[in-house]
């Protein structure tokens, strides 16, 4: 059973460091931008946290929040209220064009 939560706005401007990688988080509305420095950093976090994605997606949707995932300023995915995931197994709307641009823009950061 799902509990409907009141819509909220988030105000944030911070940097989170995971395994020495700075991840910028910024928001002034119902959209939270999470900017990873490289595809590699995003993949590392996604691998360790993928089991939590369905719960996070559900919570974000219920609170009418959207997370836009970026790599070095390029949008690569969306999670939450305005996301349109391609499958239930991966509750993230993947931006294929953005993902390709991010991988091409910094190939050494991905493969090193």
């Amino acid at each position: 059973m799902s509990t409907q939560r009141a819509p909220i706005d988030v105000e944030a401007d911070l940097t989170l460091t995971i395994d020495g990688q700075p991840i910028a988080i910024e928001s002034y509305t119902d959209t939270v931008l999470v900017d990873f420095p490289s595809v590699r950093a995003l993949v590392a976090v996604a691998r360790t946290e993928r089991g939590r994605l369905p719960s996070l997606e559900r919570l974000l949707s219920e609170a009418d929040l959207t997370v836009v995932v970026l790599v070095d300023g390029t949008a690569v995915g969306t999670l939450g209220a305005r996301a349109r995931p391609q499958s239930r197994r991966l509750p993230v709307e993947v931006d294929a064009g953005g993902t390709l641009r991010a991988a091409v823009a910094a190939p050494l950061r991905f493969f090193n």
Side-chain angles (χ1 to χ4, degrees):
M1 181 168 97
S2 175
T3 303
Q4 187 65 29
R5 300 176 196 284
I8 60 174
D9 284 343
V10 175
E11 290 190 29
D13 186 5
L14 60 106
T15 300
L16 175 67
T17 302
I18 299 177
D19 293 332
Q21 298 289 319
I23 300 164
I25 301 169
E26 183 177 336
S27 178
Y28 301 100
T29 63
D30 61 348
T31 301
V32 179
L33 305 175
V34 180
D35 197 356
F36 289 83
S38 66
V39 174
R40 184 179 184 158
L42 171 58
V43 169
V45 170
R47 280 184 180 149
T48 61
E49 301 301 324
R50 71 175 157 222
R52 297 178 196 206
L53 282 177
S55 297
L56 177 59
E57 190 282 328
R58 195 167 32 259
L59 178 65
L60 290 168
S61 293
E62 289 172 359
D64 198 29
L65 288 173
T66 301
V67 171
V68 176
V69 178
L70 304 112
V71 172
D72 197 26
T74 300
V76 297
T78 305
L79 179 69
R82 290 191 306 276
R84 300 297 170 252
Q86 284 80 17
S87 76
R88 288 182 182 244
R89 292 186 60 198
L90 181 65
V92 176
E93 178 181 347
V94 176
D95 182 329
T99 301
L100 181 59
R101 282 190 302 278
V104 169
L108 294 179
R109 285 187 277 171
F110 178 71
F111 293 108
N112 285 337

